[in-house]
Amino acid sequence: MSSLAFAVRDSGTMLRRNLRHMLRYPSLTFMLAALPIIFLLLFAFVFGGTLGAGLGGDRTDYLAFVVPGVLMLSLGGQATGTALSVATDLQQGIVARFRTMAIARVSILTGHVLGSMVQTYIGLAIVLAAALAVGYRPTASPLAWLGLIGVVAMISFAFIWLAVALGMVARTVEEASNTPLPLTLLPFLGSGFVPTDTMPAGLRQFAEHQPYTPFTETVRALLAGHSPAGSDLLWTAAWCAVLALGGYLWSRHRYNKL
């Protein structure tokens, strides 16, 4: 069996381990979905009337506007779960035990990445179901849904590799739960909840050039059944490549120093 075949086999084993953890402790998955749902209800029913009027529509129009931002909030929040999982493995000595076994070294990290991606899709499905329950009606075509699944895979892959690195550099599990906090807050400083052209000049410049804005605009266009603007899609791919590569290299560097 080749080295690649060993790595694939062992990564599959680590993925099953993480999926079993997810099934054994489903509360983490639901907790990661609960916060975005709370914000969805808050923005839709408390602020939705006023913010919808500001967009020239009503609460229903604002619901269509805010759902992509809430989905981004869910994607960012998933990073916390991944960082916690990695830090817990390190603190409990499981990673040190795995390193003494005849398994592909890369499989320990890829198992976390693949398991977190599955958890991300489950969390997004729960949030989207909640949005549908309160009246959100996406108009995406089947092709747009496929595109959305691909874009979400890119974004979650990038965030999860970054979260793996944050989990590995954290000195405690508590620290690992705090370091991904910017990924949860940045959606509010982008186009997820209000248009960026309503922001003060300095904040608008930041909002228009941070990764969440092209992420949100690409997802928003696909859910509305439109083709995303070329620049948004290009920036989404570029930011994902930078975050994923940076997270991977940082994780590998840290892992090799253990």
Side-chain angles (χ1 to χ4, degrees):
M1 187 178 289
S2 66
S3 298
L4 178 60
F6 273 120
V8 171
R9 184 200 63 183
D10 293 340
S11 295
T13 302
M14 291 298 167
L15 171 61
R16 287 195 297 275
R17 170 181 177 267
N18 283 281
L19 293 179
R20 285 176 179 170
H21 278 200
M22 190 172 60
L23 291 172
R24 187 169 298 173
Y25 306 106
S27 57
L28 178 60
T29 302
F30 288 107
M31 185 190 70
L32 293 173
L35 183 63
I37 290 174
I38 290 171
F39 277 106
L40 171 68
L41 299 178
L42 178 67
F43 276 88
F45 293 106
V46 178
F47 307 123
T50 301
L51 293 174
L55 294 174
D58 56 17
R59 192 187 308 276
T60 303
D61 296 313
Y62 184 68
L63 183 61
F65 180 86
V66 79
V67 166
V70 173
L71 294 177
M72 289 301 104
L73 193 64
S74 180
L75 278 168
Q78 177 60 43
T80 301
T82 305
L84 273 173
S85 179
V86 172
T88 300
D89 275 359
L90 286 169
Q91 294 295 318
Q92 293 181 342
I94 299 298
V95 173
R97 178 72 180 94
F98 284 149
R99 284 166 59 87
T100 66
M101 300 171 67
I103 60 176
R105 291 166 59 87
V106 71
S107 65
I108 299 171
L109 299 183
T110 55
H112 276 292
V113 171
L114 296 174
S116 294
M117 289 190 73
V118 172
Q119 194 173 39
T120 295
Y121 276 107
I122 293 174
L124 288 177
I126 295 172
V127 174
L128 196 54
L132 292 171
V134 297
Y136 175 60
R137 295 295 179 266
T139 54
S141 65
L143 187 60
W145 279 110
L146 288 176
L148 180 67
I149 292 171
V151 168
V152 166
M154 279 199 309
I155 299 171
S156 63
F157 185 75
F159 281 161
I160 289 168
W161 267 117
L162 182 59
V164 169
L166 293 174
M168 295 198 67
V169 299
R171 287 166 295 186
T172 64
V173 174
E174 290 77 14
E175 183 179 331
S177 68
N178 294 326
T179 47
L181 187 60
L183 296 178
T184 307
L185 297 178
L186 278 176
F188 295 100
L189 303 179
S191 65
F193 295 87
V194 294
T196 57
D197 57 10
T198 63
M199 299 176 180
L203 181 58
R204 184 174 68 245
Q205 289 292 321
F206 174 79
E208 291 176 347
H209 294 91
Q210 62 123 325
Y212 271 108
T213 292
F215 293 173
T216 304
E217 292 304 317
T218 300
V219 169
R220 181 173 287 141
L222 289 169
L223 284 171
H226 304 145
S227 296
S231 58
D232 289 330
L233 192 57
L234 183 62
W235 276 111
T236 295
W239 272 115
C240 288
V242 169
L243 293 173
L245 182 61
Y248 167 73
L249 293 176
W250 192 8
S251 302
R252 190 179 69 172
H253 173 72
R254 185 68 182 178
Y255 185 78
N256 288 335
K257 290 181 67 176
L258 292 176

